[in-house]
Amino acid sequence: MSAAADPVTLMKSMVGKAAADRVVSGSIVGLGTGSTTAYAIEYIGKRLASGEIKDVKGVPTSFQAEVLAKQYGIPLATLDDVDRIDVAIDGADEVDPNKNLIKGGGAAHTREKVVDALAEQFIVVVDSSKLVDQLGSTFLLPVEVLPMAKTPVMRAIEKLGGKPQLRMGVKKAGPVITDQGNFVIDVKFDAIDNPAELEKTLNNIPGVLENGLFVGVTDVVLIGEIKDGQPLVREM
Ligand code: 5RP
């Protein structure tokens, strides 16, 4: 973390470190995706390098997490190599008062859900801007879809009352391609009154791999915030 970090960067760094501090020796750790989790990966690597913890293995949720884990010296494992995940640390795009989430801002929600849902303890790391009263208020809901199914899936989503748009690349012509080679459709719903039901309904559309609603899987939410000018981390 740079000393002159802006407040959001500072919050992300502090909350990532707070999650990394909860990792104990011998753990198998799900490594999430995004700019906040990147700090957790960095600090886990630093704790390993200093000898403060040992025998930790990381299960990455994305290409990005894999690259960072290698950079910071965290030994990696796949789901075929391990019989459990002790703790997963991951970011979120929205968190509601019931600890339900919207994820997928980094188009990694399919692998994230596999790893995060398997974890004995799932810790979410966010800055305070991610807290919402109702999911869908600030962020479009990501849905990963097989490329050949994008049009029928978008039609089915419209029938459910959503406004779908294909996520386009930045510095890349054409759509975003996920780590699995698929597309992401971002959906605006006027209100997500029943996240559990919508999560299942969307996943039931043929061609949908996974959507970004994470319902009933979060154990702990760590929130980085600035209070009276001071950065702090609190648990929801
Ligand atoms: C990636 C995710 C991220 O965890 C989410 O987008 C939050 O990222 P950041 O910490 O950069 O705000 O779900 O698919």
Side-chain angles (χ1 to χ4, degrees):
M1 173 189 46
S2 84
D6 66 86
V8 173
T9 305
L10 193 58
M11 286 190 284
K12 287 183 179 199
S13 153
M14 285 184 63
V15 80
K17 183 174 186 303
D21 280 339
R22 293 183 178 217
V23 173
V24 298
S25 293
S27 304
I28 299 167
V29 184
L31 303 173
T33 302
S35 56
T36 318
T37 317
Y39 288 108
I41 296 174
E42 178 182 344
Y43 285 115
I44 292 168
K46 283 184 174 162
R47 292 186 68 211
L48 276 169
S50 71
E52 196 184 319
I53 50 172
K54 57 182 180 154
D55 300 330
V56 166
K57 277 188 199 146
V59 177
T61 58
S62 63
F63 181 78
Q64 182 214 31
E66 192 176 324
V67 168
L68 286 171
K70 284 179 182 160
Q71 184 181 335
Y72 292 109
I74 303 172
L76 289 172
T78 69
L79 291 176
D80 295 327
D81 306 323
V82 297
D83 58 1
R84 64 181 201 283
I85 293 181
D86 297 300
V87 59
I89 300 171
D90 211 339
D93 301 296
E94 285 188 347
V95 181
D96 80 5
N98 297 316
K99 298 184 186 169
N100 294 325
L101 318 173
I102 286 185
K103 287 182 50 54
H109 56 279
T110 300
R111 279 176 64 184
E112 288 174 327
K113 198 180 285 191
V114 173
V115 173
D116 298 344
L118 278 173
E120 187 60 36
Q121 186 182 47
F122 175 30
I123 303 177
V124 172
V125 286
V126 288
D127 64 81
S128 54
S129 70
K130 307 292 185 68
L131 304 180
V132 296
D133 291 332
Q134 189 176 41
L135 294 178
S137 338
T138 61
F139 205 81
L140 305 185
L141 176 62
V143 179
E144 180 166 356
V145 61
L146 285 175
M148 57 79 79
K150 77 173 187 325
T151 302
V153 168
M154 285 169 104
R155 285 191 194 123
I157 287 172
E158 278 169 354
K159 282 194 185 140
L160 292 173
K163 294 185 189 70
Q165 61 190 59
L166 188 61
R167 189 182 298 183
M168 303 308 282
V170 176
K171 290 197 176 181
K172 186 260 182 196
V176 164
I177 309 292
T178 68
D179 287 357
Q180 292 74 240
N182 299 311
F183 291 166
V184 174
I185 295 170
D186 289 309
V187 188
K188 175 66 191 161
F189 285 99
D190 284 338
I192 300 179
D193 294 323
N194 189 336
E197 193 180 291
L198 184 62
E199 181 183 15
K200 290 195 192 91
T201 304
L202 286 169
N203 281 359
N204 219 18
I205 301 171
V208 168
L209 273 301
E210 190 54 83
N211 69 81
L213 284 167
F214 283 47
V215 179
V217 288
T218 307
D219 296 299
V220 174
V221 180
L222 296 178
I223 303 159
E225 62 187 5
I226 308 278
K227 211 156 200 163
D228 303 326
Q230 294 302 313
L232 56 89
V233 174
R234 71 176 166 94
E235 188 171 328
M236 184 189 244

